[in-house]
Amino acid sequence: MAIILDGKAVAAQVKADLAERVQRLRAHGVVPGLGTVLVGEDAGSVKYVAGKHKDCEEIGIASIRHDLPADTTQEELLDVVDVLNADPACTGYIVQLPLPQGIDANAVIDAIDPAKDADGMHPFNLGELVLHTSGPLTTPLPCTPRGVIELLDHYGVDLHGKEVCVLGRGITIGRTIGLMLTRREVDATVTLCHTGTRDVASHIRSADVVVAAVGKAGFVAPEDVKPGAVLVDVGVSRVYDDQTGRMRIRGDVDHGCYDVAGAYTPNPGGVGPMTRAMLLRNVVEAAERWAGLA
């Protein structure tokens, strides 16, 4: 039987630890605050942001919300970024992606104070990750890769010397998880596959761990999985369910792979909760650094 890597359960433990750390901060007169900037009313983004603020309420982090209309200009959005950069009540914040057409997302991310970059995606913070191949890091880390590694570590999945196949080169995980997996504390060997990769299936079949983040439902097929491999399903697709007549979430890993795998993350309920938990950790850690408690 494959081990189910339960992101909900592990995220709950992370949040319990963070709640204690938040109490410690409050005892020193510091209240961590998470800011969110949401432009427009994309259904997925609205739900995700609401979940983040619910998490904050659970562990005692203050919520700072900026919900803007879809026709917000780039200049207006950058003004809000400036407000959060200067707000002492905000110890970390995110600008929810995707942004409406016409707004340069990279320019917006560049404008975020790196010390308040709750997503760990500012060029300065990514540069620090590139430069430091070992040892402690004192800058925010990308949430999804960090959540994946935390989840695998919790279940005792040893990545040292393992062959990891990453599917997808998006900035959220595909381009960033390799930086974390190849640090000396982890020491995995990473192959990154993308739309230009020839014979992706052969790379999947040789991998001890597969991190799927392409956003194509069922992309990883059972016949392409090495027996006993660990499958990390990050992709999210909405597909029509003939039985219910409704749209539902499907991951990149076909459910038939579970009979071949040694361990797998359910989707939903695997990587998603861990990503949210790591966002909270970045906010708390930023507050601890500010308070001199880190």
Side-chain angles (χ1 to χ4, degrees), residues 3 21 23 25 40 48-49 53 58 68 105 125-126 144 155 164 190 212 222 224 238 282 288:
I3 299 170
R21 291 162 66 176
Q23 288 302 314
L25 282 163
Y48 192 52
V49 168
H53 288 288
E58 288 179 15
L68 308 176
N125 295 326
L126 292 178
T144 303
Y155 281 95
V164 180
V190 179
D224 296 330
R238 287 176 171 80
N282 277 345
E288 289 172 338

Side-chain angles (χ1 to χ4, degrees), residues 6 9 19 30 32 38-39 72 95 98 104 149 165 176 180 186 194 215 222 236 269:
D6 188 346
V30 178
L38 175 64
V39 183
T72 296
V95 177
D104 184 346
I149 293 172
C165 179
T176 48
M180 298 185 68
V186 182
H194 46 75
V236 175

Side-chain angles (χ1 to χ4, degrees), residues 211-246:
V211 179
V214 295
K216 293 183 179 180
F219 182 82
V220 179
E223 60 269 21
D224 296 330
V225 173
K226 178 180 179 179
V230 177
L231 306 177
V232 179
D233 193 351
V234 188
V236 175
S237 301
R238 287 176 171 80
V239 299
Y240 182 77
D241 188 328
D242 291 329
Q243 294 183 342
T244 64
R246 300 172 64 181

